[in-house]
Amino acid sequence: MPKLTIDGREVTVPEGSSVLHAARALGVAIPSLCQRDGFEPSTSCMACVVKIGSSPTLRPSCATIVTEGMEVSSELPEVRKARRASLELLLSDHAGDCVAPCQLADERHADLPRFLRQVAEGDLGGAAATLTTAGIDLDDLDGLQVHRAEKACRRGRNDEAVALDRLIRYVAAHRDHPADAAGAPPEYRAWSVRLGRMTEAEQAALLAGARPGAAVPPADAARGYTPDEARAEALRCLHCDCHAAHSCKLRDACEEYDVPTARLRSQRPAWAIDRSHPDILHEPGKCIRCGLCLQAAERAGERFGITFAGRGFDMSVQTPFGVPLAQAVAAAAADCADVCPTAALSRRDANRSGESNAP
Amino acid sequence: MIAPPDLEAVDRIVADLGSTPSALIPILHAIQEHYGYLPAAALRRLHETTAITAAAITGVSTFYDHFELEPSGQHRISVCHGTACHVKGAELITDAFGRQLQLAPGQHTDDRGLFTLGKVACLGCCTLAPAVRIGDATYGNVSADTVERVVGHFLSRERRKEVRAADPGTAARRAQVEFRIGLDSCCVAAGTADVHRALQDELRRARADAVIKQVGCVGMCHQVPMLEVVEPGREPRLYAKVSAQDVRGIVRHHFPPAGVLGRLRSFLSRNIDDLLTDENWPGVERHVLEVRDRPVADFLGRQRRIATEHSTELDPLDVDGYRARGGFAALRACFDELPPEAVIDIIDRSGLRGRGGGGYPTGTKWRIVHGVAAARKFVICNGDEGDPGAFMDRMILESVPFRVIEGLAIAAWATGARDGIFYIRAEYPHAVERIRAAIAICEERGLLRHEGFELRLEVARGAGAFVCGEETALIASLEGRRGMPRLRPPYPAMSGLHGMPTLVNNTETLAMVPWIVRNGAEAFAALGTARSKGTKVFALAGKVARGGLVEVPMGMTIREIIDELGGGVAAGRTLKAVQIGGPSGGCVPASLADTPVDYESLLEVGAMMGSGGFVVLDDTDCMVDVARYFLHFTQTQSCGRCTPCRLGTRRLLEVLDRIRSGAGRAGDLELIEELAPHIRTNSLCGLGKSAPNPVLSTIRYFRDEYEAHLEGRCPAGRCQALISHVVTDACIGCTLCAQHCSTEAIPMNPYRKHEIDQARCNGCGVCKVVCPVDAVEVRARCPS
Ligand SMILES: Cc1cc2nc3c(=O)[nH]c(=O)nc-3n(C[C@H](O)[C@H](O)[C@H](O)COP(=O)(O)O)c2cc1C
Ligand code: SF4
Ligand code: SF4
Ligand code: SF4
Ligand code: SF4
Ligand code: FES
Ligand code: FES
Ligand code: FES
């Protein structure tokens, strides 16, 4: 059992352990995007680098095996700087919105897409909670301002913004409904990446799956939405927020290291989404090339599975022979989504309109 | 090319090469050789009939540059983008071919499917730079201006090959001379009809036993009227731009009139040697089949041949000749009297260090492999040689194959390996053949066998990925996977091919071994410097009078190599820098030309031995351009595994690109200085770790040039976006520039001074090349 020190603290770990595991044993946090227990180390993200002894080059802790007497530095400024630089490079090739534009634009950063999903579900109590958590006083809507959110709404570029104001008023009127057990809305996190202006093609891809048509006007303007009207309007939401907004390892690490989001970006990669699989979604612009999904598919013995194609900067995740994703990963689909550190592969979210996998 | 439904070929190939995952790359080579590319149906068939996974097939076939997933043109035009060719304008040549073939941006195969335009790293004839290979012909000293003629020449050559192949008997049977003349539209427009009539008259007059044959367009419309004379038993001869007046001379050349008087008259008639023929087209330097630079034979005095010993006098496959010069004596000595430990001792004491770039002590590595107990061990000769400016390993493999085999056998003897593999890059088909042939000879003669020691040798081909020179990527490639390096340790010496201890040595390293064993460690250690022993082969190229391969003792200074071996830079030019070590190396400025060339000294000045590329740069070379060239190379060769290299080199390249195109921003130099060290310290393998070297070394010594670019000036006048071409008063109005301008930016203005429309000019520089009176000048483009 070799003994080593990490930032001066001693620890003894089983033979063959990685430095990353030793660090975890000590409670030293090291961002590790492409590592997953039980999987071959990908040594790809290089967010987990540490300094060993006085070596001028840094090493990925996830694949460096501990040796007796090793001296590891994990918190030196140069180490932190290197992690931050690798993360920043990853962001320079990333296409996504962690947070939906409406939430971003809203003064209180209310989780509006979540609110809309709850309305569509009929969970009005939950929807009310989502609003009140953000500090919206449902008893006093006179001064309510949501026009910034409505102005930012991506749906506005296609036809009309989602009628947030009307829906909030609708929910306020029905707020005594019991809330579903969904729990409190996740806390708003200021650190996020943004797509900015989408291209026509991106906008069209985003629109696919949402309820078509312009905003639903209430039949009786004075009384506001009926339940059916409210649901129909809520279903117009495009769900611009990222599926992995609260589980994404890239976002977690970038938040911790306060990484600038667009400094190195020369041109943003295209955002695209493959919705052809019944269980999972593929957003290639969010892929960090960790290779974990490849391993997950391979373990499951998929006939086709997933592979890297191309090389270097152009390397991407593809299906062999270009077969449809549904043919490439069947049994392993959920595993692939679960191992993916970002939302490049994610499970369909039945609460998002157009994503329920029922045929 | 054979169209796919014929999938039996795939089954045959599989039956031949096996169906295990590690057979994947040889199988893909074979499929591509059969179909001309990798048809999707063939790959699917491969998946259905073998244990090779679909993921591996797609992953591998898209990783390596050599594999083509789309059918390509009948002939491949490979413009050399090696270092020497780059500094002599390869970029412009590629553009010119693109225009000649009328390729749209992003298109590589012309609409007729005749040519596919591509790039290749170093054709190994750097002294003829810029060089281009079309099919099996290599053209040297190509310029944007001669591209059209080169294509024409190639086509006419192909056509003649076809004629001969299709109709081998005709010439012999009829023993008749054929005059072939094109009568298609452009030929007629150019006056071929007159030539045709004159030819009929002349042949009648000479009573020649000849026929006139009308042929279609030969695709060389710029050389018409054209006449081809096919005589049995002789190389056909092509006359270009023939006029009716020339016909008599041509006919008399092939049918000398009888009698003294007739012969005299024939002699007096226009000398046909003045005519344009395919043998003397101006500007077209053609080399059929292989050409490559010979080692520089001059100034042998300072050279010391160890790895390349006898390479100029020995028939490569003459095993007796090799033995007569001491070949296989070293291996014999091992068998007879030197147990492994003793051999390792010799190598250790000789001070030999790896010639593959890193300079790791060879003896130490051997000792490690020797010390590991394992059921099986491998020795690999690394002949991947991907540095775009180096070709010594190819020369060694092709010229002295037995020496490399002997070196590898000694390594196997010393380490306890019984399997040897030559990994040779795909671009070196002749080296592959040579080594295969040499192995066969060795086996036939039983040269690699000795009581209880039997060496099995095999040859594996790379598939076009520079990173596969890195040892762990090389091993991945041998195992049939994408050539992606992995973290070391474990080093291959402990766990390599199929998890077995594996010794990987460079070709040149192994070629040193027999000499050392034969002449003793001390003789080798007597050469070189304190820590860099022996000799090193360099590929001397760029702006020197004499380029080529030189083998010199370590420690010779940069200046000595340039002046004594290279003959110095051209008169009127000044030495600016030397790029040593290729994409992983750096630029050493002229002020440090007295630096001795050895591992440590080069590292100290920010360069690296690398594989031994040695490119001399003069005052017309732009250092930003040179740095960008190398970074572009490594960036496109990144395997993609790790973030600093995959994305970092790309971002760094973008910064250099914008600086070079005059769009640099304040803070760009600082950004370079932030990104480059990050890539260096955080990349997983040597490719990424060394990728920033060319940039860092040029910024270290030539910061002012970077700053000039930020201000919109390219001091060397190289960067197209920052310069403009201007016609001076020296112009005589010959119209040549107007005729050749690639973008029609020069209106034709006979006998008057020409003007270049700056808005249309793309900076290709053809005008400067063709101007007979040097009236085109390069000036700084006014910042707009
Ligand atoms: C990107 C990269 C490319 C390399 N290319 C080659 C090569 O073409 N030939 C070679 O012998 N070594 C090459 N090497 C070095 C090999 O990894 C290995 O160190 C070498 O073959 C060991 O042989 P040596 O000790 O005899 O030098 C390369 C290394 C890197 C990082
Ligand atoms: S994948 Fe992660 S970083 Fe990217 S948009 Fe989603 S949450 Fe944000
Ligand atoms: S479409 Fe939905 S998630 Fe997107 S901005 Fe509009 S309201 Fe927000
Ligand atoms: S899709 Fe996800 S799991 Fe797969 S390589 Fe990309 S980031 Fe990794
Ligand atoms: S440094 Fe570059 S070539 Fe090496 S593993 Fe990383 S991405 Fe691949
Ligand atoms: S977790 Fe170690 S390199 Fe990604
Ligand atoms: S032949 Fe072009 S660089 Fe060597
Ligand atoms: S028509 Fe005669 S060569 Fe083209």
Side-chain angles (χ1 to χ4, degrees), chain B residues 79-87 90 119-127 129 131 293 384-392 394 425 427-428 465-467 539-542 549 579-585 610-615 626-637 687 694:
Chain B
V79 180
C80 177
H81 278 243
T83 316
C85 292
H86 172 77
V87 298
K119 295 179 181 177
V120 61
C122 195
L123 289 170
C125 46
C126 308
T127 47
D293 290 344
D384 198 47
E385 194 167 58
D387 173 349
F391 50 96
M392 58 284 292
R394 154 148 97 151
R425 72 194 281 242
E427 293 86 342
Y428 289 177
F466 170 66
V467 67
L540 182 56
L549 293 178
Q579 208 287 343
I580 302 182
S584 48
S611 52
F614 194 108
V615 182
V626 168
R628 190 247 166 221
Y629 165 78
F630 283 109
L631 185 69
H632 176 77
F633 176 82
T634 20
Q635 190 267 324
T636 54
Q637 297 301 326
L687 186 144

Side-chain angles (χ1 to χ4, degrees), chain A residues 42 44-46 56 58-59 82 85-86 89 92 263-264 266 288 307-313 315 320-321 323, chain B residues 44 55 58-59 62-63 65 464 482 487-488 636-643 646-647 650-651 654 674 678 681-682:
Chain A
S42 303
S44 152
C45 70
M46 295 292 164
L58 305 183
R59 292 178 60 88
S86 286
L89 284 168
S92 75
R263 193 180 63 120
L264 296 180
S266 49
I288 62 165
T307 181
F308 281 134
R311 194 177 66 204
F313 183 77
M315 180 177 88
F321 309 132
V323 300
Chain B
R44 287 221 175 211
T58 295
T62 58
F63 183 87
D65 292 337
R482 293 164 56 86
L487 190 71
R488 300 176 307 177
T636 54
Q637 297 301 326
S638 162
C639 85
R641 182 190 282 276
C642 69
T643 308
R646 172 166 56 88
L647 296 170
R650 173 67 170 227
R651 300 296 168 233
E654 284 165 358
E674 177 188 332
H678 175 68
T681 42
N682 290 275

Side-chain angles (χ1 to χ4, degrees), chain A residues 100-102 113 116 153-155 162 237-240:
Chain A
C102 54
L116 292 171
C153 175
R154 289 213 184 272
R155 182 86 205 216
V162 176
C237 176
L238 304 177
H239 309 291
C240 308

Side-chain angles (χ1 to χ4, degrees), chain B residues 663-680:
Chain B
R665 307 174 195 155
D668 272 352
L669 294 193
E670 293 70 25
L671 189 54
I672 293 176
E673 285 170 332
E674 177 188 332
L675 281 171
H678 175 68
I679 300 167
R680 177 189 266 177

